Amino acid sequence: MAPAVTKAVIPAAGLGTRFLPATKAQPKEMLPVVDKPAIQYVVEEAVRAGIDDILIITGRGKRSLEDHFDRNFELEYYLEQRGKIHDLGEIQALAEMADIHYVRQGEPLGLGHAVSVARKHVGDNPFVVMLGDDIMDRRCTVLADMIATFEEYQRSVVALSEFPIEEISAYGVVRPETVTDHLVRVLDIVEKPQPAAAPSNLAVMGRYVFTPDIFQALEQVKPGHGGEIQLTDAIALLLREQEVYGYVFGEGRYDIGKKLDYLRATVELAMDREDLGPEFRAFLAEIVRKRGLA
Ligand code: G1P
């Protein structure tokens, strides 16, 4: 039987220049969305989809990520002494969520290079890549759906969403061939094309399931868009050897790499929270009324 998908790779070595000055002295992955650092949403999503082995690709200045998912006995003792049992449970659960490993990228040579650093850890297994700029709310099952697709076809799967063509040049874009309602076969893929050159309006979102063959493709890739080793270019090579599929989804994704979308994510995720939601929604309604926004 083919091996199950139990490993995820989360590249987190980037400098976060789109979010300065907040990211000058702290990793962008640690920016809080409501009350959790962004990367925790990604790890929780992986765990929900059945992943139990996570490799985070880090770089300089990323130590707080490791601390976040580690035990903190001093804090645990403090919370226990004060009877803060709920907080204590949450903090302990964080360290036990999954088996989390770290490896450094060394030089920031691009997303494709960051993924290639995972090769030894992943070995000859299928694996998931999750980009931390994209976070999914709890209702979004795209990763589990992609893994199910992988299990059926035994081929790599990328997450896709439809975008207005004027926004398409921020993404990898595919030339699709329809298979079913949600599934396309990827016939070609290009990194950040100009709208006029885009093969469709289906953009690659930050979730991928790969056969281990992606590593051979990554070895052959030359610097591409922005002079970087692009994961998209490796996928373009891979699909010459074997089919690659795209799983099209719509709802539940927030791109927190952009300031405006980060604000949108914060508002929407806070509104959905059982503990904060009711009061926060009332506050928003009040603001809309006071400022004459509606
Ligand atoms: C990366 C990928 C791109 C993909 C995007 C999704 O770009 O290179 O193909 O569409 O993530 O968020 P980045 O956002 O890192 O520039």
Side-chain angles (χ1 to χ4, degrees):
M1 212 175 99
V5 184
T6 58
K7 290 176 190 276
V9 174
I10 306 179
L15 295 175
T17 49
R18 284 196 290 177
F19 231 106
L20 285 167
T23 50
K24 186 179 171 212
Q26 94 175 300
K28 67 170 175 178
E29 294 78 12
M30 290 301 290
L31 288 177
V33 180
V34 189
D35 57 0
K36 286 184 217 172
I39 194 153
Q40 188 177 330
Y41 288 91
V42 180
V43 169
E44 288 176 353
E45 181 195 343
V47 171
R48 278 202 300 278
I51 304 282
D52 61 8
D53 176 334
I54 295 173
L55 180 70
I56 303 184
I57 314 289
T58 68
R60 280 182 68 77
K62 302 279 180 169
R63 190 163 299 160
S64 54
L65 261 76
E66 298 185 38
D67 289 340
H68 184 70
F69 292 106
D70 199 0
R71 297 292 295 265
N72 180 338
F73 292 109
E74 204 178 316
L75 178 62
E76 287 176 29
Y77 178 77
Y78 176 90
L79 293 172
E80 199 176 348
Q81 290 300 302
R82 279 162 185 72
K84 294 184 182 259
I85 301 307
H86 177 76
D87 289 340
L88 177 64
E90 285 214 346
I91 295 297
Q92 285 173 335
L94 253 177
E96 281 154 21
M97 241 189 302
D99 213 352
I100 305 187
H101 309 267
Y102 303 87
V103 60
R104 281 192 174 219
Q105 188 183 2
E107 277 177 281
L109 299 179
L111 177 60
H113 179 256
V115 172
S116 73
V117 168
R119 188 173 194 162
K120 266 207 180 129
H121 183 87
V122 168
D124 204 19
N125 295 293
F127 67 105
V128 162
V129 171
M130 306 173 78
L131 305 188
D133 279 351
D134 291 317
I135 61 177
M136 312 297 172
D137 67 29
R138 294 187 69 83
R139 286 163 297 204
C140 179
T141 56
V142 66
L143 188 63
D145 296 336
M146 291 168 72
I147 292 174
T149 306
F150 176 87
E151 280 162 0
E152 187 177 344
Y153 292 84
Q154 295 297 314
R155 290 289 179 250
S156 300
V157 188
V158 301
L160 299 173
S161 271
E162 284 184 16
F163 267 83
I165 203 81
E166 43 313 339
E167 291 173 30
I168 213 83
S169 53
Y171 300 100
V173 183
V174 303
R175 185 153 64 84
E177 179 184 84
T178 304
V179 179
T180 64
D181 251 10
H182 278 284
L183 201 65
V184 297
R185 185 163 161 207
V186 176
L187 302 179
D188 198 7
I189 184 167
V190 258
E191 180 68 5
K192 304 195 170 81
Q194 287 307 307
S200 74
N201 67 341
L202 280 177
V204 177
M205 302 292 96
R207 299 291 180 272
Y208 311 78
V209 185
F210 285 121
T211 61
D213 306 300
I214 192 71
F215 291 119
Q216 278 102 46
L218 279 166
E219 249 178 27
Q220 294 165 37
V221 164
K222 304 270 177 300
H225 186 91
E228 297 188 346
I229 304 287
Q230 295 291 349
L231 186 57
T232 298
D233 295 343
I235 300 171
L237 286 183
L238 183 67
L239 55 81
R240 290 191 204 162
E241 309 289 323
Q242 54 188 240
E243 301 92 72
V244 172
Y245 291 91
Y247 191 91
V248 185
F249 77 109
E251 298 281 287
R253 163 194 176 260
Y254 303 93
D255 174 358
I256 55 156
K258 296 194 211 126
K259 290 179 190 177
L260 206 59
D261 284 348
Y262 173 84
L263 291 172
R264 188 171 73 91
T266 305
V267 169
E268 290 206 38
L269 291 170
M271 279 172 76
D272 286 346
R273 281 269 295 259
E274 259 172 43
D275 52 346
L276 302 167
E279 249 182 277
F280 189 55
R281 280 197 293 270
F283 163 76
L284 290 175
E286 177 71 7
I287 282 212
V288 168
R289 194 185 57 74
K290 263 205 211 145
R291 303 210 177 188
L293 293 175

